[in-house]
Amino acid sequence: EEKAEAKAKHLQSKADAEGDLADTTSTKEADEQYLADLTATCEQKASDFESRQQLRAEELEAITKAIEIISSSAVQGNADKYLPSLAQKTSALVQLRSANTMEARQQRVVSYLRSEAKMHNSRVLAALAERVADDPFSKVKKMIKDLIVRLMEEANEEAEHKGWCDTELSTNEQTRKEKTEAVEMLHAEIDELEAS
C-alpha cells in the first residue's frame, strides 16, 4: 500500500511536471516567435535607419556646399551692395551687371543642388534647388537652416527608436534564457521522476 501510494505521488508529480513543461514550452515557443519577429523588424528598421543616415549625410554635405557658395566672398554682401541700388541708381549698366552677377551665382547654386539631388536621388535637395531658383538667397539660407534642424530632429528620433529596439532585443533574450532554463529544469525533474 505504501508503494502504491508513493507510486501514485510520483505519477502525480510526473503529470504536474509534464503539464508545467508543456506550458513553459508553449510560452517559450511564443517568445521565440516574438523574438524572431522583433529581430526582423529591428533589422529592417536598422537597415532603413542606416540608409536614411547616409542620405541625410549626403544632403547635409550638399547643403554645406551650397552654404559655402552662398557665403563665399564673391556672393557675400552683394545683395546689400547692389540690390538696394537698383531702385536708386540711374545707370542701367550697373543694374544689369549686378543682376546678371547675382543671377549667375544663384544659377550655380541651383545647378549644384539639382546635380546633387539627382546623384543622391533626394527629393529634399530637388525641392531646395527649386526654391533657390525662385527665391532670394536670404530665404534659401533660412530654408537650409530649417532643413538641417529637421534632419537633426529626425536623426535623434531614429536614434531613440533604435535604442528601444536594442532594449527590447536584450529584454527578450533574457526572458528566452530564463524560459530555456525552466524547460531544462522541468525535463530534468521529469527524467528524475521517471527513473524512480
Side-chain angles (χ1 to χ4, degrees):
E1 192 172 304
E2 272 184 40
K3 271 187 169 182
E5 192 175 306
K7 186 173 182 177
K9 281 184 182 180
H10 281 302
L11 289 174
Q12 182 62 43
S13 295
K14 179 182 175 188
D16 291 344
E18 286 175 347
D20 290 346
L21 175 63
D23 289 344
T24 304
T25 302
S26 67
T27 302
K28 180 184 175 215
E29 288 170 359
D31 287 347
E32 287 172 344
Q33 181 61 44
Y34 175 75
L35 174 64
D37 293 346
L38 182 64
T39 302
T41 300
C42 287
E43 285 173 358
Q44 180 62 44
K45 290 195 182 275
S47 172
D48 292 347
F49 174 77
E50 291 301 321
S51 64
R52 283 192 302 270
Q53 289 294 88
Q54 177 66 28
L55 178 63
R56 265 195 209 91
E58 292 165 353
E59 287 174 343
L60 287 173
E61 184 180 324
I63 290 170
T64 302
K65 181 71 173 167
I67 290 172
E68 286 175 18
I69 293 170
I70 292 170
S71 302
S72 70
S73 60
V75 176
Q76 194 71 27
N78 284 340
D80 294 336
K81 184 176 179 183
Y82 294 109
L83 291 180
S85 68
L86 289 176
Q88 297 170 356
K89 292 199 178 193
T90 57
S91 171
L93 183 60
V94 172
Q95 292 175 357
L96 182 59
R97 184 172 176 212
S98 66
N100 285 343
T101 305
M102 286 301 290
E103 190 174 294
R105 289 184 185 124
Q106 187 174 358
Q107 198 56 37
R108 257 183 55 205
V109 171
V110 169
S111 174
Y112 176 76
L113 286 174
R114 283 182 179 152
S115 68
E116 289 295 308
K118 187 178 280 187
M119 181 172 35
H120 299 299
N121 196 21
S122 171
R123 291 177 292 168
V124 174
L125 288 178
L128 181 61
E130 292 308 312
R131 289 288 304 264
V132 169
D134 296 339
D135 293 344
F137 281 119
S138 61
K139 289 183 180 179
V140 173
K141 284 183 179 180
K142 183 187 180 316
M143 186 178 163
I144 289 171
K145 287 178 184 174
D146 293 345
L147 178 62
I148 290 171
V149 167
R150 185 178 61 80
L151 290 172
M152 296 299 231
E153 287 172 352
E154 285 179 10
N156 287 338
E157 287 173 12
E158 287 184 0
E160 287 176 16
H161 186 73
K162 186 176 184 319
W164 175 83
C165 278
D166 292 344
T167 302
E168 282 295 310
L169 282 173
S170 173
T171 302
N172 194 286
E173 183 178 354
Q174 181 62 33
T175 303
R176 192 170 26 113
K177 283 180 184 176
E178 290 172 3
K179 298 291 184 186
T180 301
E181 288 173 7
V183 167
E184 289 172 359
M185 282 183 21
L186 288 170
H187 274 297
E189 190 176 328
I190 288 172
D191 291 344
E192 183 181 312
L193 288 171
E194 285 178 346
S196 51

